[in-house]
Amino acid sequence: MQTPESMPLYLRTARLVLDGWSDGDADWYAELVGQRSAAAARRGEPPTPRTAGRPDHDAATASVRSLAATIGTPLPLYPVRLADSGASLGYCGLVVGRSTPEEPELAYEFLEAAHGHGHATEAATAVVAAARSVGYTRLWATIRAWNAPSFGVAERLGFLRDPSATAAHPEPDDGRGAQTWNRLDL
């Protein structure tokens, strides 16, 4: 399968808008990275470049500008906002991650205040539908063993745990927990 030309620039659900990034997203993005880093520390994980603490404004702005360049490509990572207020909740989209451009990974991460409200499932459902409409035939989600909420989202979307793929992609124990590959055939 060839990688599709591009995903839509904009997705909308009943409650959410998935659209483009702007420099104004740097503050909430920095908060999200800070929350990710604090959660990793609480789990006793060693720091990684993704969990080294809250980035300063310049670093967060640079990250947001990199994310902005993904919109309109086959592998967008959309900011997710409430449709009625525009409040930023997190991000959701497709990445190569541990997979391939032809069978990318679904990725999502939300501010702690947005957890438990179905936003990840709703946003991911829109991304999966868009991926199907542009011609992707399979998506992956790699999820760490401790992340029960992400397993729940993946299961609601129809992802199946794939022991063969997990065995085929062993990762050294780096203190962050075992990685499980989950497959969704579209």
Side-chain angles (χ1 to χ4, degrees), residues 1-5 100-104 131 134-138 186:
M1 177 199 152
Q2 287 188 355
T3 304
E5 289 297 314
T100 67
E102 296 79 23
E103 294 184 3
V134 300
Y136 283 108
T137 58
R138 177 177 290 156
L186 300 176

Side-chain angles (χ1 to χ4, degrees), residues 73-167:
T73 74
L75 299 167
L77 205 54
Y78 300 99
V80 179
R81 308 174 204 288
L82 287 174
D84 62 353
S85 69
S88 298
L89 304 173
Y91 63 77
C92 184
L94 302 177
V95 299
V96 172
R98 293 166 186 82
S99 191
T100 67
E102 296 79 23
E103 294 184 3
E105 284 194 59
L106 176 68
Y108 45 88
E109 185 175 20
F110 287 77
L111 292 161
E112 291 172 359
H115 292 186
H117 302 283
H119 300 307
T121 300
E122 188 172 335
T125 297
V127 170
V128 167
R132 183 180 291 113
S133 75
V134 300
Y136 283 108
T137 58
R138 177 177 290 156
L139 300 178
W140 295 93
T142 56
I143 303 171
R144 299 230 177 250
W146 55 262
N147 197 342
S150 284
F151 279 113
V153 171
E155 289 168 8
R156 284 188 289 280
L157 294 170
F159 279 85
L160 301 172
R161 294 184 194 202
D162 191 319
S164 296
T166 301

